[in-house]
Amino acid sequence: DADVTQTPRNRITKTGKRIMLECSQTKGHDRMYWYRQDPGLGLRLIYYSFDVKDINKGEISDGYSVSRQAQAKFSLSLESAIPNQTALYFCATWNYGYTFGSGTRLTVV
Amino acid sequence: GIQVEQSPPDLILQEGANSTLRCNFSDSVNNLQWFHQNPWGQLINLFYIPSGTKQNGRLSATTVATERYSLLYISSSQTTDSGVYFCAVERGTDSWGKLQFGAGTQVVVTP
């Protein structure tokens, strides 16, 4: 099993729908992150969590929310999806080095 | 915020060639990492290198923190080296664990 697992791998959703992207990790790391990647750009930080009770906004948190259900699980929600949220989304853990999940390719139509 | 600039933006190599990718950053950093994103989108951590030199097989990296740049060397390139190479930095205790990415260098290795 992968150290950081993201589900789903691909998703197409309609404008206005609520969607949740899930992330789970087996590395036992406290710190978890959600990034998005747009074509031709590097990754940008959406939210991060240093432990279950510590959740922080990143540089592009508007339109997103997160939930840290346990040390191993960190979910990202789009409450009302819009087309410019079409992107590749990555979850990561950190412990003096990042481990990324395989990504979720989200398309909002 | 800190600026991270990578060069060149694109690179086409013939298999077997060597190359150097550069990452400049605008302020002091606690951490610098190099990543490879393969054509399927998967991100692989190559080096955690806030300073000094590291080598891993055909890849090596050097960070000169005092001069605010890092270099990634690819030797004897192979087609599997194709993809996008990202440099990412983290600075300051208030940015602990939060990476600022460059725009990447797109590398294509031809047979």
Side-chain angles (χ1 to χ4, degrees):
Chain A
D1 289 340
D3 293 329
V4 180
T5 301
Q6 291 184 235
T7 56
R9 290 295 307 275
N10 293 281
R11 181 73 179 267
I12 300 174
T13 193
K14 293 184 178 181
T15 297
K17 292 290 187 181
R18 183 179 188 275
I19 182 168
M20 179 181 289
L21 309 184
E22 300 196 26
C23 176
S24 62
Q25 54 119 342
T26 58
K27 297 184 75 67
H29 294 166
D30 287 327
R31 297 181 180 185
M32 298 186 73
Y33 303 79
W34 276 103
Y35 286 88
R36 72 174 271 177
Q37 183 181 23
D38 296 282
L41 299 177
L43 279 68
R44 293 181 292 166
L45 183 63
I46 306 172
Y47 269 95
Y48 61 103
S49 170
F50 285 175
D51 66 38
V52 174
K53 296 181 181 179
D54 184 1
I55 294 176
N56 304 277
K57 294 182 178 181
E59 64 177 304
I60 55 164
S61 59
D62 288 348
Y64 301 95
S65 62
V66 292
S67 173
R68 186 81 184 268
Q69 300 96 321
Q71 186 200 42
K73 296 184 181 296
F74 191 36
S75 301
L76 176 73
S77 294
L78 288 68
E79 296 301 325
S80 179
I82 56 177
N84 77 359
Q85 291 178 312
T86 294
L88 183 57
Y89 290 84
F90 286 99
C91 174
T93 70
W94 183 93
N95 185 22
Y96 296 98
Y98 274 75
T99 303
F100 281 87
S102 297
T104 294
R105 193 170 297 278
L106 177 66
T107 303
V108 183
V109 297
Chain B
I2 192 168
Q3 304 301 311
V4 182
E5 295 182 353
Q6 292 186 241
S7 61
D10 300 280
L11 191 59
I12 300 176
L13 300 170
Q14 191 143 22
E15 202 167 23
N18 303 327
S19 64
T20 301
L21 282 58
R22 188 177 179 101
C23 173
N24 293 331
F25 41 97
S26 61
D27 207 338
S28 59
V29 297
N30 293 336
N31 172 22
L32 186 145
Q33 291 190 249
W34 284 97
F35 296 93
H36 175 220
Q37 188 170 36
N38 66 24
W40 296 272
Q42 188 177 12
L43 271 171
I44 306 297
N45 191 343
L46 296 177
F47 294 103
Y48 174 84
I49 185 166
S51 63
T53 297
K54 291 186 177 180
Q55 181 158 6
N56 184 1
R58 296 180 296 101
L59 300 180
S60 63
T62 295
T63 297
V64 183
T66 54
E67 298 186 21
R68 299 180 186 169
Y69 73 89
S70 184
L71 303 174
L72 179 70
Y73 306 96
I74 305 174
S75 64
S76 304
S77 58
Q78 300 177 0
T79 56
T80 53
D81 295 329
S82 295
V84 183
Y85 290 81
F86 289 105
C87 166
V89 303
E90 165 200 310
R91 66 175 298 269
T93 55
D94 62 337
S95 298
W96 191 254
K98 293 156 54 181
L99 288 176
Q100 181 72 38
F101 280 76
T105 293
Q106 174 84 53
V107 173
V108 175
V109 181
T110 61

